[in-house]
Amino acid sequence: FMGDEPEDTLLMQKCKYIAENSMLLLEHIATAIAPEGSWFEGMGYYEFVMQHMGWFLETLDNTLSNAFGFLSVKGLADLPDYAMYNQTVNGVFNRAGMTRHTNNNNYFSPEAFIYAKLSSNTQKTELYNSFRKDMSISTFLPQYILFYDTSLADEENVALPLDKYYSSNGVGVMRDIWEKETGAYVGISGGIGGHYDKGSFIFDALGERWSVD
């Protein structure tokens, strides 16, 4: 649809500039996600990064059938796991300048299914869908239709380890069971990221949030 006119050449140069610099910027973001599949800020910022990186990867796959090595970045394919570790049925672990999500909100992004699909991880597809159900998170979003592929869902029972420590941002979480309201959970923040919340923690048990600091 573009010809040899000067304005067409100029437009092509601008598009090339945007594409090249977008790739460079996302390389920087992918480096920050590595090697553990985490983010150094609160869940609101994490959500923004996870969603937009997912859209970017989906666009590359749909238009060029090439992720240009992004999925080989250690930890990037596991980025949706970070949301699972940082919440219970009582809400998310609120820390690090988080404003959108409060202690009483749960969070799950349908873009998680993009990561499972592009990494060909059928067990993660079912794992994320089961987690969404356990958190009673609605599917009234068009992204679920776009990103959740039922052909990739593996009904085999698979679960993440109960405990996780993210050395990149100083966050450690422990629980005694997944998918149960009565389970015990503790989340502790080492405060990496420049926020004044070092040592903050939450403790959940028996379906209640008993302590928030």
Side-chain angles (χ1 to χ4, degrees), residues 105-125:
N105 294 141
N106 284 111
Y107 162 77
F108 179 82
S109 174
E111 283 75 16
F113 295 119
I114 295 176
Y115 295 81
K117 179 180 70 172
L118 295 183
S119 60
S120 300
N121 194 325
T122 57
Q123 292 184 339
K124 283 290 184 72
T125 298

Side-chain angles (χ1 to χ4, degrees), residues 45-64:
Y45 298 108
Y46 158 81
E47 176 187 25
F48 181 84
V49 170
M50 201 272 275
Q51 288 180 336
H52 286 78
M53 179 62 82
W55 298 337
F56 169 73
L57 294 172
E58 179 81 349
T59 300
L60 289 179
D61 183 65
N62 286 337
T63 58
L64 303 174

Side-chain angles (χ1 to χ4, degrees), residues 12-77:
M12 179 61 72
Q13 291 174 345
K14 290 181 178 179
C15 291
K16 182 180 178 181
Y17 175 85
I18 292 172
E20 289 178 345
N21 283 274
S22 295
M23 294 286 282
L24 290 173
L25 177 61
L26 287 164
E27 286 180 13
H28 174 72
I29 294 174
T31 301
I33 293 170
E36 299 173 305
S38 62
W39 192 247
F40 61 91
E41 298 172 293
M43 290 295 288
Y45 298 108
Y46 158 81
E47 176 187 25
F48 181 84
V49 170
M50 201 272 275
Q51 288 180 336
H52 286 78
M53 179 62 82
W55 298 337
F56 169 73
L57 294 172
E58 179 81 349
T59 300
L60 289 179
D61 183 65
N62 286 337
T63 58
L64 303 174
S65 300
N66 190 340
F68 292 92
F70 277 97
L71 286 173
S72 65
V73 174
K74 188 175 181 180
L76 193 144

Side-chain angles (χ1 to χ4, degrees), residues 188-205:
I188 304 171
S189 174
I192 297 176
H195 296 281
Y196 293 101
D197 61 355
K198 292 183 179 180
S200 62
F201 67 92
I202 62 171
F203 175 67
D204 290 5

